[in-house]
Amino acid sequence: MSLIPSLFGGRRSNVYDPFSLDVWDPFKDFSFPESGRENSAFVSTRVDWKETPEAHVFRADIPGLKKEEVKVEIEDDNVLQISGERNVEKEDKNDRWHRVERSSGKFLRRFRLPENAKVDKVKASMENGVLTVTVPKEEVKKAEVKAIEISG
């Protein structure tokens, strides 16, 4: 049974099965500039930043990329920059695509590091599509208080 066949182009859907409904995309036939496609990878690169007593830890989801395709840099002594590029899959003339949801293009994320970051000791590792960048923290020296005797 179809909900509204004329609206969804005659596609079949089952109200009780959420995976059978092919969602209507009102922008399907519009062409957007190429720069918009590059931004899609930028937008979808998710990064978590947590602070532990010893370090700032960044974790970025970048599935399908090799460590050689990702750059981790420190700019201006206080900005952590994570960048890379997901390449578009090569098309064969005999291929017929039904859906393209994985993003491709360049991505770039920047984070201003706090003053207590040891930027010369940053370490990065990648495992199972997750990049982990660890930025150790310096101990913040507490202000030394010296009592002054009041005369008179």
Side-chain angles (χ1 to χ4, degrees):
M1 180 175 130
S2 167
L3 287 177
I4 306 174
S6 61
L7 180 61
F8 291 103
R11 294 182 198 149
R12 287 188 183 168
S13 62
N14 181 341
V15 179
Y16 303 106
D17 182 5
F19 299 108
S20 72
L21 182 62
D22 192 10
V23 179
W24 176 61
D25 182 4
F27 302 106
K28 178 182 79 166
D29 297 322
F30 289 99
S31 61
F32 293 103
E34 289 297 317
S35 63
R37 289 185 190 174
E38 288 181 9
N39 288 340
S40 66
F42 168 78
V43 170
S44 67
T45 304
R46 306 284 187 218
V47 179
D48 294 339
W49 175 0
K50 75 174 178 178
E51 183 176 355
T52 68
E54 299 81 30
H56 295 276
V57 180
F58 298 83
R59 286 201 175 93
D61 287 341
I62 45 177
L65 291 183
K66 300 175 188 147
K67 66 180 185 176
E68 297 82 23
E69 299 171 316
V70 178
K71 279 181 166 178
V72 177
E73 302 170 310
I74 300 290
E75 275 187 355
D76 300 326
D77 290 332
N78 70 341
V79 177
L80 172 67
Q81 179 173 297
I82 301 170
S83 62
E85 185 171 2
R86 290 186 183 109
N87 295 318
V88 178
E89 195 168 318
K90 293 182 182 178
E91 256 185 68
D92 186 352
K93 291 189 181 202
N94 297 326
D95 292 345
R96 182 173 171 221
W97 292 86
H98 292 278
R99 184 175 301 270
V100 177
E101 295 182 343
R102 296 184 308 146
S103 59
S104 61
K106 296 178 182 180
F107 66 91
L108 172 73
R109 297 295 308 268
R110 288 184 172 157
F111 301 92
R112 185 170 308 281
L113 297 171
E115 289 182 24
N116 66 347
K118 288 185 183 179
V119 293
D120 56 331
K121 304 282 185 189
V122 175
K123 292 183 180 176
S125 64
M126 200 154 131
E127 187 176 339
N128 296 328
V130 178
L131 172 71
T132 302
V133 180
T134 304
V135 183
K137 295 182 349 184
E138 294 179 317
E139 286 186 35
V140 178
K141 294 182 181 180
K142 293 181 181 177
E144 188 176 313
V145 178
K146 183 178 178 182
I148 307 296
E149 192 174 315
I150 302 172
S151 61

